[in-house]
Amino acid sequence: METSIIDRFRDTPEGREADAILRACVHCGFCTATCPTYQLLGDELDGPRGRIYLIKQVLEGKEPTRRTQQHLDRCLTCRSCETTCPSGVRYAHLADIGRVIVEGMVKRPLGERFIRRGLRLFLPYPAGFKLIMRLGRIFRPLLPDSLREKVPAIKPATPWPESSPRMRTMLVLEGCAQKAATPNTNAATARVLERLGVSLVRAPSAGCCGALSHHLSAQEEALAAMRRNIDAWWPYIESGAEAIIITASGCGAMVKDYGHALKDDPAYAEKSTKVSSLAKDICEVLAAEDLTPLHIDGAGKSIAFQSPCTLQHGQKLSGVVESILQRLGFDLTPVADGHLCCGSAGTYSVIQSKLSKQLLENKLASLEAGKPELIATANIGCQLHLETRAKLPVKHWIELIDENMRGN
């Protein structure tokens, strides 16, 4: 694709990156076939190719409008288009650049600004998230249906195993929403890894991965979160931690992108690249281990696995969790259109609730069609979103393994 980037953007890091991404696109349209929002709305501007043209026009000097912003907002950043694209177009990075530029040029209505600011103030912090959860439970009967169903149940924390100095060491990202809403996920991970001779270590000063602020176009806020985590993890990395384990695939996709996000920061460029290289979804670790010490026999338990977009498209780990579950004897039911998003997509279920609900209904129909005993997933956002309307229990797949270890 030919471009003519205006002076305002041409010589900036973002402008140069956007130009390279745009030039890789041959506007073949394969991406539209796997885009969830294009399938729902049938509008070229609500598909990757259309959004690419919108961003190109802005970079070439066309003034963006509120309509431009809305089409970019409707993108889930699920990256299904990247999996489909034969030219390797890095659409997600282009969308991030375009959104930040448009955010600075088009003023949002007061209500939208209030909601987006509120999400950034509370959700990235476990204490803030817990406060919202508690208030939601108290006032749940008074809330409108659209909000009532989003209030998650408060799940109890479970104990972590004792570590031994002789064990291998790996770090864990505790996160924000997951630490508050499903604290057992990382505790279960610690128990599973302990069986495999690995001690899972928490860095107390680490926090949100930065994804929420990043996808709401608050870039400096996101970068600050990334730097804080790098600083928190660095002493452990220098002491020999093998990996940084992430059990929320959305956070994993973000941490693996730290090297790119901080590439122009001389103080953090090298460290961020190292952190990204050490970041591993828990499925990557288990896939490489002998799982015999877990003493699991799935005994044909019927599971529908919802593969989050951030796992299969963002981290390119399609089929890895499924393979582990099958190795352990679980029976996976077929899931039609498994490449499509469930509609969670971070804060998307709040700021684009109508589209999100349509995607959720479609996803649950596919997951429940095979009549499984439960639904397993690999991302806290997807888990909480699916739970709002699922007829079956929804769990993180690592908790399923923990529950079925003999000798627990």
Side-chain angles (χ1 to χ4, degrees), residues 331-346:
D331 180 21
L332 298 186
T333 61
V335 179
D337 295 323
H339 64 283
L340 292 178
C341 184
C342 71
S344 172

